[in-house]
Amino acid sequence: ANGGSLVMARNALELPLLAARDQVRLINTVPSAIAALQRAGQIPDSVRIVNLAGEPLKQALVEALYNEAAIEHVYDLYGPSEDTTYSTWTRREAGGRANIGRPLHNTAGYLLDAQLQALPQGIAGELYLAGAGITRGYLLRPGLTAERFVPNPFGAAGERMYRTGDLTRQRADGVLEYVGRIDHQVKIRGFRIELGEIEARLLAQPGVREAAVLALDGQLVAYLAAEQEQPEVLKAALREVLPE
């Protein structure tokens, strides 16, 4: 639509193997993938713009990308699939503070408390999204749809907004900062993961007394109190019921 060409790859890590690698000017991927390419020195010199979404974007990675001689812009794109993937955007600056910017055109963001009252600047609250990108709901899940898609008291009659479950605050300049999840859901390589589900599966294994799962630097790490060390046995048991 804008006169460019689209280069298709099965995943971003295959970029160094593509015949058209030296024609790529913009990469759109997740932070963990671009970090792997950056560490390996495999970002082509032709790349000028990097769009990143799906995971929190750490400032250290932003700095590393700007240290690549050719990269001119690093954009942080935030948003859930329930709002058609992207909801807010910002150009991240070298030496700046982590933030998720401002809503896209035709998107509205509200920071609200449990009573759906607007929160003042600097106070963290749940981010609700509204506007043209809001989806209809979850297929064959009317209860969950009603829980997550609620009437918008700030919009027109019949308009809804989506509860993101993300704890966010607004700076004095109007920019949004992501604080964390209000539940125990995390994102790894763009996939949503409920840590409690993994803990429950571990506790169901013989000999496991306690379990705690954390997301650390893009990986899932489980800490266990068990009768014996058996990590490979536990991994094999988890693979039968959970995604790889």
Side-chain angles (χ1 to χ4, degrees):
N2 290 284
S5 298
L6 188 64
V7 177
M8 298 295 292
R10 286 188 298 178
N11 63 72
L13 298 180
E14 290 190 350
L15 176 60
L17 306 177
L18 298 179
R21 53 159 289 159
D22 294 324
Q23 301 174 37
V24 174
R25 291 179 55 84
L26 181 152
I27 299 175
N28 193 92
T29 187
V30 297
S32 54
I34 200 69
L37 291 172
Q38 189 276 327
R39 287 194 301 268
Q42 294 179 328
I43 299 177
D45 292 338
S46 58
V47 174
R48 298 290 185 271
I49 302 171
V50 179
N51 289 346
L52 297 172
E55 300 166 353
L57 176 55
K58 295 182 179 179
Q59 186 62 28
L61 178 55
V62 174
E63 305 291 343
L65 291 172
Y66 278 126
N67 285 334
E68 301 282 332
I71 293 179
E72 300 172 356
H73 306 286
V74 177
Y75 290 102
D76 191 349
L77 306 172
Y78 160 87
S81 300
E82 290 86 348
D83 192 34
T84 322
T85 308
Y86 298 146
S87 306
T88 73
W89 73 280
T90 183
R91 182 185 185 276
R92 294 286 293 272
E93 305 286 349
R97 287 172 54 189
N99 69 90
I100 58 173
R102 305 171 187 273
L104 296 169
H105 290 303
N106 301 315
T107 298
Y110 307 102
L111 291 180
L112 308 176
D113 62 16
Q115 288 73 45
L116 300 185
Q117 298 297 310
L119 293 168
Q121 291 177 344
I123 303 299
E126 184 173 4
L127 177 61
Y128 289 70
L129 296 170
I134 296 297
T135 56
R136 295 183 180 181
Y138 302 108
L139 184 64
L140 304 179
R141 300 287 299 277
L144 185 60
T145 297
E147 175 186 342
R148 306 304 297 183
F149 294 83
V150 298
N152 183 1
F154 311 100
E159 184 177 333
R160 298 178 306 156
M161 56 184 182
Y162 172 68
R163 298 184 56 186
T164 66
D166 287 331
L167 198 61
T168 312
R169 60 172 164 254
Q170 187 178 52
R171 300 191 324 210
D173 59 3
V175 168
L176 298 172
E177 290 184 341
Y178 175 81
V179 177
R181 291 290 299 174
I182 62 172
D183 52 24
H184 296 293
Q185 186 185 90
V186 298
K187 272 192 174 182
I188 300 290
R189 295 192 299 278
F191 293 97
R192 300 182 193 182
I193 298 169
E194 294 286 352
L195 298 181
E197 181 181 9
I198 304 173
E199 292 173 353
R201 297 293 187 178
L202 284 168
L203 290 170
Q205 303 305 313
V208 177
R209 299 189 304 274
E210 295 181 81
V213 179
L214 300 176
L216 299 176
D217 296 326
Q219 299 184 77
L220 292 172
V221 182
Y223 296 89
L224 304 173
E227 294 177 1
Q228 56 183 339
E229 293 186 6
Q230 47 183 359
E232 295 305 320
V233 173
L234 291 172
K235 288 180 182 179
L238 291 181
R239 289 191 185 102
E240 294 180 0
V241 291
L242 296 175
E244 178 69 20

